[in-house]
Structures are given as C-alpha cells and as structure tokens.
Amino acid sequence: VLFIAGDSARGLALWRTRGTRATTRPLKDPVPGPDSPELSNLRGAGNHAFFLARSVEGLIDLWVSDGRRETRRVTTLCRTSGECAGLDRRDVASAGGLAFVAVHSWLVGSELWRSDGSETGTFLLRDIHRGPGSALVNEGVVVDSRVLLYGLAFLNELAALNDRVLFGALTTSPTAAPPTLWSSDGTAAGTVRVNEEASWPQDFVRQGNRLYFSGA
C-alpha cells in the first residue's frame, strides 16, 4: 500500500507499507527538508501509481512510482507559480494503465491531460473548449451587468470505467450550450462526447460496469 503522510523531519512524503510496523517507511520525499510540497491525488494505474506535487515555489509536477525501487518526477505540468490553479482531490483518475489529469492552466484553460509515465507520453489530449475558455472548471457569465457564477467546479471530476475515463466538459460558453458527458481512451481521436443529452453531469458513482451520475 502506498500513501501520503508527513512528519516534522521531512514534511509530506510518499510512504509504503505491507501492513506491519517494520515495513511501514518513507519511499520518496519529492522535496527533502521541512519545507514540504503539497502532495495529493495518489492513484494506481496498472503496475504504477501517480501523484501530483506542488512545490513551495508553486510549480506542479506529476510523479510516478512502482512502489519499490523507482519513484520519479515525470514532468512539470505548470512551470511558473502563476500558471496553474490549485489541486483538487478529483483531478486524477486512472484507466487502461494511463493516468488522466485535469490541469487547470491559465494558458490554455482547464483541460484533460494524459500520462503513461514518460515525459513524451504526458500531454494535453484535446483542447475541448477552444480559445480562452475552460472545458473542466468554473466559468462566469455577465448578464445585464450582473456576473452569474455557474457552479461548474464539479467538472474537474473524473471517473474510470472500462479502460476509459468519463468527465463533464464545456465546448463553449454555458449560455450557449451546457456541459455534457465526455469520455477518453487516452488518445485525441478517442476523446469524444458520449451523449449531448447527458448535460451537467456530476457526482459520479461506479457500480460494476455502469456509471451513475446526476444531471440537469
């Protein structure tokens, strides 16, 4: 079992255990020393586990571990402190041996990325909401000089089902069309809308080979 824990000597780090005191110990400290990074979103994918680390400088890195000898940084998702928004517990999912990450970048908006554990295999899958808008995060709309905030924070929710990841996404402004249910197999061509009538999808719950969710 891999888990994230901290102590006064090293701050947050990746730990492992086989269920005994003797086998419970730190596996990797991404930033040695008491100035701990923010570690989150630990998810298993095939024979590896992925997690995100935000350094004290504000950079966000994707890490991968085999749980034994190799725990390494895959790549930096956000290279400046102001490029990405905060992390959320629903930002990472695993399907088909890949990690899927909702990256909240101010440069291209909040979109879906994928990773196979290599730097070259970690990239933006598809710019679903082209232009300055975001597919996966909050948007505000001005109506009659009032700002209406649509509660779209849930759109960074990812759910794995049958080697695919499912999520809600906007392709345009929510005043023009609501967010709908999408899925991806880890390729740009395989990142597609599931059903345009499945609008405002949220609160995903998997039961066997089905995924239940609420909508509007």
Side-chain angles (χ1 to χ4, degrees):
V1 175
L2 300 183
F3 62 99
I4 294 171
D7 58 29
S8 58
R10 63 176 56 84
L12 288 176
L14 182 67
W15 288 59
R16 69 176 179 182
T17 183
R18 291 182 178 273
T20 66
R21 180 185 296 272
T23 60
T24 304
R25 58 183 182 273
L27 180 60
K28 182 70 176 182
D29 186 355
V31 181
D35 292 332
S36 174
E38 178 185 356
L39 305 184
S40 64
N41 296 282
L42 182 62
R43 298 286 186 274
N47 293 324
H48 291 80
F50 291 83
F51 64 96
L52 298 177
R54 179 192 287 273
S55 68
V56 292
E57 295 82 15
L59 309 184
I60 296 180
D61 294 332
L62 178 67
W63 285 69
V64 66
S65 175
D66 64 0
R68 296 176 176 84
R69 297 180 178 86
E70 185 181 48
T71 301
R72 56 179 172 79
R73 184 181 65 84
V74 177
T75 189
T76 299
L77 298 175
C78 300
R79 300 184 181 278
T80 64
S81 59
E83 181 182 338
C84 283
L87 306 179
D88 186 272
R89 64 180 178 84
R90 299 169 298 182
D91 284 350
V92 178
S94 64
L98 298 174
F100 293 85
V101 186
V103 178
H104 310 304
S105 169
W106 303 119
L107 300 181
V108 297
S110 296
E111 301 286 349
L112 185 68
W113 290 53
R114 58 88 83 173
S115 178
D116 61 2
S118 68
E119 185 170 10
T120 57
T122 303
F123 50 82
L124 172 68
L125 269 173
R126 178 176 172 181
D127 191 359
I128 296 173
H129 191 309
R130 294 189 178 276
S134 295
L136 304 176
V137 78
N138 292 11
E139 297 227 347
V141 179
V142 178
V143 178
D144 295 333
S145 301
R146 295 174 299 164
V147 177
L148 304 182
L149 295 179
Y150 287 74
L152 304 184
F154 57 80
L155 289 181
N156 62 347
E157 187 175 359
L158 310 177
L161 183 69
N162 300 333
D163 294 334
R164 300 182 70 90
V165 66
L166 282 84
F167 57 99
L170 282 164
T171 59
T172 183
S173 168
T175 58
T180 53
L181 186 66
W182 285 63
S183 76
S184 177
D185 62 358
T187 66
T191 302
V192 296
R193 179 157 40 200
V194 175
N195 188 328
E196 64 181 11
E197 294 182 357
S199 59
W200 301 94
Q202 56 184 305
D203 304 322
F204 295 151
V205 176
R206 178 175 177 174
Q207 179 69 30
N209 290 323
R210 294 182 180 272
L211 188 73
Y212 292 86
F213 59 93
S214 61

